[in-house]
Amino acid sequence: MTSRKPIPRGIRNNNPLNIRIGNVWLGEEQNPTDPEFEQFTSMVYGVRAGFILLRRYIRHYHRTTIPQVIAAWAPSNENNTTKYIDTVCEVSGIPQDATLDYYDKEQMFRLVDAMIFVECGQHISEQHIRDGYRFAWFYMLFLLRNVFIELVYI
């Protein structure tokens, strides 16, 4: 008899970056069962939320290197942050001192793929990552549209 490995929590929740409950997200499950982590209706919504948070870390909080991002994403009181950083850098091929550029989509794809690997112990499809990034951009365009409308009608 072979034993089956349990499905990682982030995969079960369609939240491969293990985002904790705390924001209202598009695509959230209506009746979540996990008391700590967000649950999404599809993997793309979970990846999208991760990209939106990463953008906030990089652009708003000026966390522009992998160690700076991971120190906030996976704090040492909950994770082996040093190992997390080392693994993300190794899997992504991005050096620890490299400046992260949210608008460099290939760099962001590699970063998110590596973070998902650390969080879940496995990769997800490249298409889910690409779709999540694209969907996060729709969100940013929506915000910009609202700012533009406010400026026009002031």
Side-chain angles (χ1 to χ4, degrees), residues 108-121:
M108 288 297 103
F109 294 163
R110 293 190 344 253
L111 174 62
V112 166
D113 177 61
M115 290 174 67
I116 290 169
F117 180 76
V118 173
E119 291 285 344
C120 297

Side-chain angles (χ1 to χ4, degrees), residues 61 105 118 144:
Y61 297 117
K105 66 181 178 182
V118 173
L144 288 173

Side-chain angles (χ1 to χ4, degrees), residues 26-120:
L26 185 64
E28 282 183 313
E29 282 287 352
Q30 293 301 309
N31 299 304
T33 56
D34 191 317
E36 294 180 60
F37 292 92
E38 295 285 357
Q39 292 178 278
F40 295 96
T41 57
S42 76
M43 193 64 72
V44 172
Y45 283 117
V47 174
R48 171 194 173 270
F51 274 120
I52 290 169
L53 285 176
L54 276 174
R55 181 182 186 277
R56 190 175 304 152
Y57 281 30
I58 294 167
R59 305 282 300 157
H60 183 73
Y61 297 117
H62 307 288
R63 295 179 180 276
T64 58
T65 64
I66 289 175
Q68 290 171 341
V69 167
I70 300 304
W73 194 278
S76 59
N77 64 321
E78 298 176 3
N79 300 276
N80 182 340
T81 304
T82 301
K83 184 176 179 185
Y84 196 126
I85 291 165
D86 291 344
T87 304
V88 166
C89 290
E90 180 182 330
V91 171
S92 70
I94 303 169
Q96 286 194 22
D97 61 350
T99 300
L100 297 173
D101 177 3
Y102 186 79
Y103 302 108
D104 179 346
K105 66 181 178 182
E106 293 304 322
Q107 183 190 56
M108 288 297 103
F109 294 163
R110 293 190 344 253
L111 174 62
V112 166
D113 177 61
M115 290 174 67
I116 290 169
F117 180 76
V118 173
E119 291 285 344
C120 297

